[in-house]
Amino acid sequence: MTTPPTATPPSATRPTATAPSSVPPSSTAPRPAPWIRTRLRAAPLATLLGAALAFVAVLLAAALPRAQDRGADQALRSFLERRGTADTSLLVTAPSPETGGAQALDATLEKLLGPTGSTFRVDPEETVHGARTTKRQPLTNPELSRPSGLPPSMNLLHVREAEKYVKLAEGKWPSSTPTAPAQAATGATAPLQVVLSQKAAATLGARVGSVLTAESRVDATPSVEVVGLYAVLDESDDFWTDNLGCLARACEHYFNESLAWDVDALVGTGDLDRMSTWSRTVAEDFWRLPVDIGHLRADLLDATRQDIASYIAGPTAATLARETGRARLHTTSWLPERLEEARARTQAAAPLAAIGPAGVGGVAFVVLCLAGALAADRRDAELRLLLARGGSRAAIVGRLLGEGAVTVLPAAAAATALAVLLLPTPRLAPALLAATAVALLALLAFPVRAAVLLTPARPAGRWRRPVAELLVLIATAAAVVEVRRRGVAPPGSDLDPLLIAAPLLLALCGGLLLARLQPVVTGWLARAAGRSSGLVGFLGLARAARGSGTTGRTGPSVLPMVALLLAVTTGGFGAAVLHAVDSSRLGVARLTVGGDAAISAFGKSPLPAGLAQAAGELPGVRTSVPLWIDHDTSLHGTTVRSSQVTVVVAEPRAYAELSRVLGCGSFDPALLATGGAAGADAPVPALLSASLARQAVQGGTYAVQPGDGRELKVRVVGTIDCTPAHPARDAATVVLPTGVATDLMGGADHPNRWLGLGDVDGDRLRALVRSKLPTPSGTPAPAPAPIPGSGSTAGPAPLDELFPVSTSAEAVTALGSDPLQRSAGRLFWASMAGAAGFALLAVLLTLMRAVPERAALLARLRTMGLRRRQGVALILAETLPQTLAATLGGALVAAAAVALLGPAIDLSTLVGAHVPNGVRLTAGPVLTQALGLAALVAAAVFMEAATSGRRQITNELRAGDQR
């Protein structure tokens, strides 16, 4: 008899029945291993590389906005600091009340400081407030200084805490108690006690105890008594600027050509209520509130401007007038205008500063997408196996998201924290938004690509790629048209993403076009190489045209090519812009100086004997142009009969070279050189500036009359756009040759200016000028006294006053000293370094993905006699065509971007002076960027081929092909 299938032997049931009582059920079943930990341990190198890529990408994304904020804030503060305290302060005035004195001044100050502190703040320690008379009174004392017979005039001021900025040198401070209201004489009042500065007292001839009287009046004869003299500690201190008048020293006041002195005196608290008796008008209280420049922020510029406008004339001003009880409270300031100028500068520089970050952002986006695509291709078999064993696409994608979260999110958080720590700025939101966006891209690139791979295949649509390419082409054309029509930075507008994306869109179009052309061209080259005897070139080019590393691919990967092309295009375009900035800045500096170096004399005074010749013999000087300039000359006989002109007498050949280099126009020096062979009565050939040539006739004869009364006949032989000796485009200038003109014009035989071209050292040129100065005696002159507040131990040397020296290098440095320009340049080059790194990473990722297949191929070929050098050559022939094509295409696209977008770029803000719009195409910057990146990528490809290829081939030969 057989046992039924469901029956179980008794011996087998007893252990089962007693098992629950002795061992828990959970311990008998094996626990599944955690998915995420298992997958991360299975590929530790890929995990670390993914975390490193996310860390670097997020670090750049968080750091770039903060670097831009720091640069913009520094540029704003530097711009306002150069304008000085007078332009960055709020000046509040109001008529002085009849009573109240110093307490009313201090109470009003506290209420004026109340509305500050939101978008702008005022440092209470730097405020200046007090009272002053509003009309100067002439002093009638006969013993006072009268340079032109005019009496000096005086104002009275009371400045709170002025004692901290001066030192009492003689006498005493004015009394804090009111002086006696009347003296013995009927109708006379006690003089007001004042203190004067030592310099003002020395200029006037006053001393301690002097009683200074003003003109007599019907009610009383006001007077002041000098009870003390003070010395200013530092005249350059901001305390003495703007509205404090002539407290530090006496000021010159001219009535036509007559000189008179203006002085101001300090009044004590005791006579504060009597100040109005001096000027016959109501005294004025004032409060100068210097805005703290160090706390202004570029991102709050509009809000700051609105708050300050409200403080000057708006709701805040009305509230202050009501709270202070001063109905005629009035506030003035230049700060709104300066903030508007700063905003315009920031808007003009923002698009040019955004070129670099936009480029590195585009390349990083491509690299993250490429990394996700390569990771999905590497694990394609595993993901399809999970799907075949019953896993859903949602569950698989969820597990992949968990894997990415473990690696990407900690790396992103660490990168964001590091960026915030290294680049402290008040604004955090832009950095967090950029870091979050990049972290999400790094997290989702692989799962999204995996979801696409696991989606059931649909019929291929041949129209999808052409439609996408057409949309990119339309967007690019629209961006280029807008840039040509409006400019990259339209005045008064904010940053336009479409205009910023124009170079990137051009690069994307170039990449799409190159992706279609490169396989075709590489296939032609492969067929041409196939007709030769060698196998390496044909096989490498054929694999490059087909695309290796992924089964079923019909062409090379587009993403590495786009990454390279984006990096080369943005780098070449930005380098061309910065090169144009440097060239324009040098051109402006040369026009300002008149060449690369200049030595000038004041008026018609000649340069020291032999100085011009010695300067021309200095090392680095290529062209030496000694010349004579006279600004007090008339030209007679033109359509306007007589014109005030500037005459320049110079050697024709050297002056023609100088004019050509400075862009003032080229002319044939023979036109001027022929004047020496003519008779003494023959007209001297002359070049006229463009503005003056419109009033004359070519070949006509006119009369030049210098200030000494002589007359010289000149004949117009040509026109020049500008003159290096007088570079203004609309200047009326006449250029004459040396020779006859030197003999006929008084003083022209001794040059009063020297211009030079070349690499001239300014310090050496100043030393030469110093050596040529005549010494009046054997004893050297003492060094000049220090300038108060300058921070230097000595003032300017006398030679700098007599014969100032200037160089174009110093002028370029001055033009480029704006932090806005420096931050834009630093940000661009840092971005280009990041873009180059990401482009190199894109190439290496593609190479690493193809390593297994390439190693298997090389192993098979090694068994057939392939040598090591041939293996390296095969790898290079396979990988370099795409790299070189992307580099060449990027250079061409960069050149096209400069040609298309360059004319619409305004470089004035970055140059530091007004220059014509436009960036001209120059091959140097574009080729430098392209060749540099090509060399970097080629070196990386060669190193990878020479190292990893050899190791993989050895492993394949030992283990065999297991695929």
Side-chain angles (χ1 to χ4, degrees):
M1 184 176 81
T2 60
T3 305
T6 57
T8 304
S11 60
T13 60
R14 290 193 185 95
T16 304
T18 59
S21 62
S22 59
V23 182
S26 60
S27 62
T28 59
R31 300 179 61 182
W35 169 272
I36 296 176
R37 185 183 65 185
T38 303
R39 289 306 310 160
L40 296 182
R41 287 182 175 179
L45 181 60
T47 301
L48 291 177
L49 289 179
L53 177 59
F55 179 85
V56 173
V58 174
L59 179 63
L60 284 176
L64 286 177
R66 298 182 70 79
Q68 285 181 315
D69 282 352
R70 286 169 59 87
D73 291 344
Q74 185 181 5
L76 171 65
R77 293 162 187 170
S78 175
F79 172 76
L80 294 178
E81 285 173 358
R82 288 200 300 268
R83 294 302 180 270
T85 305
D87 279 12
T88 57
S89 299
L90 301 170
L91 180 59
V92 185
T93 58
S96 300
E98 295 182 359
T99 57
Q103 292 77 15
L105 289 171
D106 297 340
T108 303
L109 176 63
E110 293 181 2
K111 295 178 180 179
L112 291 176
L113 294 177
T116 65
S118 54
T119 57
F120 72 97
R121 63 183 296 268
V122 175
D123 188 356
E125 300 297 327
E126 300 296 329
T127 58
V128 180
H129 65 292
R132 61 189 174 195
T133 56
T134 56
K135 185 178 180 181
R136 294 187 181 275
Q137 295 300 311
L139 301 177
T140 60
N141 301 61
E143 70 273 12
L144 299 182
S145 173
R146 299 169 183 251
S148 301
L150 298 176
S153 300
M154 176 177 283
N155 246 356
L156 303 182
L157 290 90
H158 172 74
V159 183
R160 304 289 289 160
E161 300 181 353
E163 296 85 353
K164 296 192 303 183
Y165 301 92
V166 298
K167 179 179 69 174
L168 188 64
E170 187 179 350
K172 64 177 183 178
W173 291 107
S175 174
S176 59
T177 59
T179 56
Q183 299 294 326
T186 304
T189 59
L192 286 77
Q193 296 183 0
V194 300
V195 288
L196 278 175
S197 70
Q198 282 183 317
K199 294 181 179 180
T203 302
L204 289 183
R207 60 183 182 274
V208 175
S210 297
V211 177
L212 308 179
T213 60
E215 295 179 352
S216 300
R217 297 188 315 197
V218 176
D219 52 355
T221 303
S223 61
V224 296
E225 179 185 1
V226 181
V227 298
L229 301 179
Y230 61 83
V232 177
L233 297 178
D234 185 0
E235 290 188 26
S236 65
D237 194 286
D238 291 340
F239 176 83
W240 302 103
T241 61
D242 197 20
N243 61 322
L244 292 190
C246 306
L247 284 177
R249 61 175 70 227
C251 302
E252 295 180 351
H253 189 178
Y254 286 92
F255 296 92
N256 295 326
E257 296 182 357
S258 300
L259 171 64
W261 298 113
D262 287 343
V263 295
D264 291 338
L266 285 174
V267 176
T269 308
D271 291 330
L272 183 58
D273 293 337
R274 298 176 56 206
M275 285 178 57
S276 59
T277 62
W278 175 259
S279 63
R280 308 182 190 181
T281 58
V282 177
E284 180 183 71
D285 293 345
F286 67 90
W287 299 266
R288 191 179 74 204
L289 312 178
V291 175
D292 191 353
I293 304 302
H295 284 76
L296 294 182
R297 291 168 50 182
D299 59 295
L300 299 178
L301 201 56
D302 290 339
T304 304
R305 194 156 52 92
Q306 293 176 1
D307 289 349
I308 292 178
S310 176
Y311 197 101
I312 295 174
T316 305
T319 302
L320 288 174
R322 183 175 60 255
E323 291 179 353
T324 58
R326 297 173 181 257
R328 296 172 61 185
L329 193 73
H330 181 62
T331 305
T332 59
S333 177
W334 286 102
L335 197 53
E337 288 78 3
R338 299 297 172 258
L339 293 180
E340 181 60 29
E341 293 177 10
R343 182 176 181 271
R345 282 163 37 86
T346 304
Q347 288 177 333
L352 303 179
I355 292 175
V360 70
V363 179
F365 176 81
V366 173
V367 170
L368 290 176
C369 293
L370 177 64
L374 294 179
D377 292 343
R378 178 174 57 86
R379 296 177 59 180
D380 182 57
E382 171 195 345
L383 298 177
R384 294 187 183 278
L385 179 61
L386 290 175
L387 186 64
R389 290 186 173 182
S392 65
R393 286 196 305 274
I396 295 174
V397 170
R399 289 179 180 272
L400 296 181
L401 282 174
E403 292 181 28
V406 173
T407 57
V408 171
L409 295 184
T416 305
L418 182 62
V420 173
L421 181 64
L422 294 178
L423 299 171
T425 58
R427 195 164 59 148
L428 190 60
L432 291 181
L433 290 176
T436 302
V438 174
L440 288 177
L441 178 61
L443 178 64
L444 297 176
F446 176 29
V448 170
R449 176 62 178 171
V452 173
L453 289 178
L454 297 179
T455 302
R458 290 181 295 177
R462 295 181 177 271
W463 52 269
R464 294 176 185 171
R465 181 175 177 181
V467 169
E469 294 175 346
L470 182 61
L471 292 176
V472 172
L473 181 61
I474 293 174
T476 304
V480 171
V481 170
E482 281 296 298
V483 169
R484 296 296 296 264
R485 186 176 65 87
R486 297 169 49 196
V488 174
S493 63
D494 294 326
L495 195 65
D496 191 339
L498 180 63
L499 304 185
I500 299 305
L504 298 181
L505 291 174
L506 284 172
L508 183 57
C509 283
L512 296 177
L513 178 61
L514 195 61
R516 287 189 175 275
L517 294 179
Q518 190 259 338
V520 178
V521 176
T522 308
W524 291 346
L525 296 176
R527 286 192 291 273
R531 290 190 288 269
S532 63
S533 58
L535 179 64
V536 173
F538 166 73
L539 187 57
L541 292 173
R543 287 175 56 82
R546 179 178 61 86
S548 60
T550 303
T551 304
R553 179 174 293 171
T554 59
S557 177
V558 177
L559 292 179
M561 186 181 301
V562 172
L564 273 174
L565 201 136
L566 282 173
V568 174
T569 301
T570 54
F573 181 76
V577 171
L578 294 183
H579 180 267
V581 169
D582 294 338
S583 300
S584 300
R585 191 177 293 156
L586 178 59
V588 170
R590 279 178 163 177
L591 282 177
T592 303
V593 173
D596 288 325
I599 306 174
S600 304
F602 287 99
K604 298 180 182 180
S605 302
L607 296 175
L611 176 59
Q613 181 179 358
E617 296 172 355
L618 286 177
V621 177
R622 299 192 311 269
T623 304
S624 175
V625 189
L627 43 83
W628 182 80
I629 303 176
D630 183 13
H631 297 283
D632 187 21
T633 302
S634 300
L635 180 66
H636 300 277
T638 61
T639 57
V640 295
R641 294 188 179 181
S642 178
S643 302
Q644 190 76 14
V645 298
T646 297
V647 171
V648 179
V649 180
E651 197 279 321
R653 191 175 302 277
Y655 197 79
E657 174 66 14
L658 182 66
S659 179
R660 182 189 62 83
V661 173
L662 266 64
C664 284
S666 300
F667 64 90
D668 186 3
L671 295 175
L672 294 178
T674 56
D681 296 334
V684 178
L687 294 175
L688 269 61
S689 60
S691 61
L692 195 60
R694 290 190 292 267
Q695 306 170 11
V697 179
Q698 185 80 6
T701 302
Y702 304 94
V704 171
Q705 186 175 2
D708 57 6
R710 300 186 184 184
E711 186 171 295
L712 176 67
K713 292 183 179 181
V714 299
R715 176 172 51 88
V716 180
V717 296
T719 304
I720 52 177
D721 295 334
C722 66
T723 306
H726 197 187
R729 294 282 175 178
D730 56 349
T733 311
V734 178
V735 180
L736 301 177
T738 54
V740 178
T742 304
D743 299 335
L744 297 179
M745 301 191 71
D749 53 339
H750 294 89
N752 57 9
R753 191 169 184 182
W754 176 84
L755 303 177
L757 291 176
D759 187 9
V760 187
D761 186 0
D763 294 336
R764 178 174 293 183
L765 193 58
R766 291 184 178 90
L768 175 64
V769 174
R770 189 179 294 110
S771 67
K772 294 296 182 179
L773 285 177
T775 55
S777 63
T779 304
I787 299 177
S790 64
S792 62
T793 58
L799 67 94
D800 292 332
E801 298 177 359
L802 295 176
F803 305 103
V805 174
S806 55
T807 64
S808 61
E810 296 168 349
V812 166
T813 302
L815 288 173
S817 62
D818 191 349
L820 188 65
Q821 305 164 358
R822 296 198 301 268
S823 64
R826 288 195 302 264
L827 190 63
F828 170 77
W829 290 118
S831 301
M832 285 303 98
F838 278 116
L840 179 61
L841 182 60
V843 176
L844 293 179
L845 285 174
T846 306
L847 290 176
M848 296 302 294
R849 176 66 188 97
V851 162
E853 182 182 348
R854 187 188 308 121
L857 172 64
L858 293 177
R860 299 188 190 101
L861 293 177
R862 283 289 299 277
T863 60
M864 300 169 63
L866 184 73
R867 293 190 297 272
R868 288 182 177 179
R869 290 185 178 180
Q870 291 177 323
V872 174
L874 177 61
I875 297 175
L876 294 178
E878 178 185 347
T879 55
L880 286 184
Q882 188 178 15
T883 300
L884 297 179
T887 304
L888 178 60
L892 294 177
V893 175
V898 174
L900 292 174
L901 307 178
I905 297 178
D906 184 5
L907 300 177
S908 298
T909 301
L910 294 184
V911 171
H914 179 72
V915 294
N917 289 1
V919 176
R920 291 183 297 179
L921 177 60
T922 52
V926 177
L927 289 180
T928 300
Q929 295 293 312
L931 295 179
L933 187 55
L936 179 64
V937 173
V941 170
F942 179 80
M943 292 297 296
E944 196 277 337
T947 55
S948 65
R950 180 184 303 177
R951 184 174 60 253
Q952 293 290 339
I953 292 172
T954 303
N955 294 338
E956 290 288 341
L957 290 176
R958 289 177 178 175
D961 187 5
Q962 301 299 325
R963 282 164 296 279

